[in-house]
Amino acid sequence: MRKSVIIIGGGVGGTAVGALLAHKGFQVQLFDKNSLIGGRCTTYEKEGFKIDVGVHLFGEGAKGPLQRVTELIEMPNAIQWVLSRDPRPLLCYKGKKSVYSRMSMAQLLPPKESENVMKFFADCMSIRKRQINELYYTDLETYLNQYSQDPTFHAFIAMICAQYFCVPPNVASTGEFIRSFRGVVSKRSSAYPIGGCIAIPTAYVMGIEKYGGKVYLNSEVKRIIIENDKATGIELRDGSTYFADIIISNADIKNTVFNLVGPQYFPKEYVDRVKNLTYAQHCLAIKVALDKKVTDQKLIMNVHIDYSDMDSYIEKIYKGEIPDEIGGMITVPSNYDPNLAPEGKQLIFSGTAISSDWRNYDWKKWGERCLESLLKVIPEADGHILWYNIDTPELVEKFAGEDGNIIGIGQTVDQVKDRRPSQVSPLKNLYIVGCEAGGWGIGAELAANSAMELAEILSKDFTKDKID
């Protein structure tokens, strides 16, 4: 008899593990509270434009874990990828544009520091895996000090670290950084999916359904049912109940423990650990619709101030103050997939990190300043703006919870590898998946790795049960 699985939440982790388990013969049912699948990796529509939640680019693309999931479920063509390197991404540094590469960024530093940063990059690519394992619990800032203590050098690496993990170098894991960096650089496959970010979880849903599973949208889970000290099912907001052998939560580990289950069902040390977990940083993004195509670029990194001034700029943002100019990551999704915008039109995203105290922000003023800064980088857009959205952490919270942070549980030195929460919870039959437990990598790729690991764990248990 097939083992039954209930999955709570349809983010990348939930849909990926659902597809993997359905393919392996498990009876899968997935429930998501939203009308759109995908959590942070979803896409909504406005006036003919298809708009991602967040500002997305996927580091390893068609050579990474997101694609690997489709191969494992024998649907390798379910996601179509477009590489970001044609044309080459740009770095806009204090108004001057150059190719966004390690070499071009290093050339902006003093000669000695340029040598130091290139040595750091070379070491990242050549270091042995055993040495990487020894660096997981060393913060990146401490490791960088072996190469240089120059603030410009540190700010340069901090920018890359923020793109990957949305945490600063003084808490980021060196091992996690090096492993992710060499994956992105060696595979040279950073990409974006045709159809917008929602194409990824949609592909996994196709896998769930292909192998006999079911996906229910607009189905918010009220609680996880506990009987005889084990998870046995769920109750929805409408009062209906469903039962299964295995319950998997992709609904945030804190929400799972403190709301869906209740802390009384877990050991005190586990509850304390979950309570003290910290999230990644938050982001503000503007989504700009244009009446014509004004740029061929797909990706621009905008650094509007001197690297050495980066710390004071970030400090100002964390205080909730609006900088005179705002830098960040600019993507042009409709240059990857023209169908994301009506014919002849263009869609541009610009995102920047903000404070965790975002609920007190004046979003209108922040949006205006972000737009002003974007037009300094792409002045051709001036006069062609149809409208723009200000997508705040509140929107992310609507789809994914977790106080609206960008990724999930932060990949800090005390929250990576063996110090990261396990997918296997202390409560029998309850598992956690996504950017909350297990896995490694950048953003959605972290969630996909978590899903593949959990599918392997459950498959081994399933095989053992059949033998027993």
Side-chain angles (χ1 to χ4, degrees):
M1 183 176 178
R2 294 195 300 166
K3 278 204 170 184
S4 56
V5 179
I6 285 175
I7 301 169
I8 305 166
V12 167
T15 52
V17 77
L20 291 163
L21 292 176
H23 175 262
K24 289 175 180 290
F26 289 75
Q27 183 180 335
V28 174
Q29 295 183 93
L30 185 149
F31 298 81
D32 192 274
K33 66 180 181 179
N34 298 303
S35 59
L36 295 172
I37 201 70
R40 293 177 183 82
C41 199
T42 193
T43 307
Y44 62 92
E45 293 193 28
K46 180 176 178 178
E47 298 180 22
F49 291 84
K50 296 179 180 179
I51 305 168
D52 296 327
V53 172
V55 180
H56 289 285
L57 182 66
F58 300 91
E60 296 187 9
K63 296 181 181 179
L66 295 166
Q67 176 66 22
R68 179 60 179 155
V69 171
T70 67
E71 294 165 358
L72 289 171
I73 63 173
E74 301 179 82
M75 297 173 60
N77 299 317
I79 303 172
Q80 300 297 311
W81 299 94
V82 180
L83 293 173
S84 66
R85 64 173 185 259
D86 182 23
R88 296 285 298 277
L90 290 182
L91 170 66
C92 183
Y93 182 59
K94 297 195 296 185
K96 295 182 179 180
K97 295 176 183 176
S98 60
V99 172
Y100 180 48
S101 68
R102 288 167 285 160
M103 181 62 72
S104 64
M105 287 187 279
Q107 290 173 346
L108 297 171
L109 303 174
K112 181 181 178 181
E113 299 307 328
S114 178
E115 293 176 8
N116 288 335
V117 76
M118 293 309 292
K119 183 179 188 308
F120 167 73
F121 286 140
D123 289 349
C124 284
M125 298 305 295
S126 62
I127 189 172
R128 295 181 180 274
K129 289 184 179 180
R130 174 181 58 79
Q131 293 172 291
I132 295 176
N133 287 334
E134 294 171 354
L135 290 170
Y136 271 98
Y137 310 131
T138 298
D139 70 84
L140 185 57
E141 184 175 277
T142 297
Y143 186 72
L144 290 175
N145 282 331
Q146 300 177 45
Y147 294 85
S148 172
Q149 296 186 23
D150 181 82
T152 301
F153 175 96
H154 278 251
F156 174 39
I157 305 301
M159 181 179 70
I160 301 174
C161 181
Q163 293 171 46
Y164 284 4
F165 310 128
C166 301
V167 296
N170 66 321
V171 297
S173 162
T174 299
E176 191 89 353
F177 179 91
I178 293 175
R179 187 178 184 183
S180 298
F181 176 83
R182 67 197 292 170
V184 171
V185 173
S186 62
K187 293 176 181 177
R188 298 184 70 248
S189 58
S190 293
Y192 182 87
I194 293 290
C197 290
I198 198 172
I200 296 170
T202 296
Y204 301 158
V205 165
M206 290 169 56
I208 293 172
E209 295 175 340
K210 176 180 179 180
Y211 297 108
K214 295 181 179 180
V215 174
Y216 303 90
L217 298 179
N218 297 306
S219 300
E220 183 174 0
V221 175
K222 179 181 178 181
R223 68 183 180 101
I224 294 172
I225 298 171
I226 310 299
E227 298 175 323
N228 300 320
D229 294 322
K230 62 182 180 181
T232 60
I234 59 170
E235 180 186 354
L236 301 186
R237 287 290 174 190
D238 64 9
S240 57
T241 56
Y242 297 80
F243 295 88
D245 300 311
I246 296 165
I247 310 298
I248 301 174
S249 179
N250 185 210
D252 172 13
I253 190 170
K254 292 192 178 189
N255 180 44
T256 302
V257 170
F258 292 103
N259 298 321
L260 296 180
V261 176
Q264 67 271 24
Y265 291 102
F266 298 93
K268 183 180 184 303
E269 60 270 21
Y270 185 79
V271 172
D272 290 343
R273 174 61 176 143
V274 171
K275 182 179 180 180
N276 292 320
L277 290 169
T278 57
Y279 291 127
Q281 293 168 318
H282 298 74
C283 178
L284 165 68
I286 59 169
K287 314 299 174 64
V288 185
L290 305 178
D291 64 11
K292 64 174 290 188
K293 183 176 179 178
V294 300
T295 178
D296 291 324
Q297 287 301 138
K298 294 174 181 172
L299 173 66
I300 303 173
M301 294 305 304
N302 178 28
V303 182
H304 64 286
I305 58 173
D306 192 280
Y307 280 125
S308 60
D309 295 329
M310 191 68 73
D311 285 346
S312 59
Y313 169 74
I314 293 172
E315 183 180 354
K316 187 172 185 178
I317 284 182
Y318 285 174
K319 288 180 179 178
E321 300 175 18
I322 305 177
D324 296 333
E325 190 173 341
I326 296 176
M329 179 178 174
I330 299 170
T331 60
V332 188
S334 55
N335 282 356
Y336 291 94
D337 179 2
N339 292 321
L340 297 180
E343 187 175 358
K345 296 179 172 57
Q346 192 162 51
L347 184 62
I348 299 178
F349 298 171
S350 179
T352 189
I354 57 173
S355 165
S356 60
D357 191 26
W358 54 267
R359 297 181 191 275
N360 298 319
Y361 275 22
D362 184 333
W363 295 121
K364 184 174 184 296
K365 290 183 178 179
W366 273 89
E368 290 171 350
R369 190 62 51 83
C370 284
L371 183 61
E372 291 170 4
S373 301
L374 173 64
L375 291 176
K376 289 184 178 181
V377 180
I378 309 177
E380 299 86 355
D382 197 12
H384 295 286
I385 297 173
L386 294 170
W387 49 263
Y388 69 95
N389 272 7
I390 305 169
D391 285 357
T392 71
E394 186 173 7
L395 180 70
V396 177
E397 184 171 304
K398 172 187 173 184
F399 283 103
E402 301 173 297
D403 193 40
N405 82 89
I406 304 173
I407 294 177
I409 299 301
Q411 290 149 283
T412 57
V413 289
D414 59 339
Q415 297 180 169
V416 292
K417 206 169 172 55
D418 294 338
R419 297 178 182 177
R420 195 161 185 82
S422 169
Q423 290 100 326
V424 182
S425 89
L427 183 61
K428 190 173 182 180
N429 297 346
L430 177 65
Y431 300 85
I432 310 293
V433 76
C435 296
E436 309 299 324
W440 70 276
I442 302 170
E445 294 174 342
L446 165 65
N449 277 321
S450 170
M452 287 187 284
E453 291 172 359
L454 178 55
E456 187 66 22
I457 290 169
L458 292 173
S459 296
K460 287 179 180 178
D461 288 347
F462 179 46
T463 302
K464 180 178 181 298
D465 287 348
K466 286 204 299 186
I467 293 174
D468 291 344

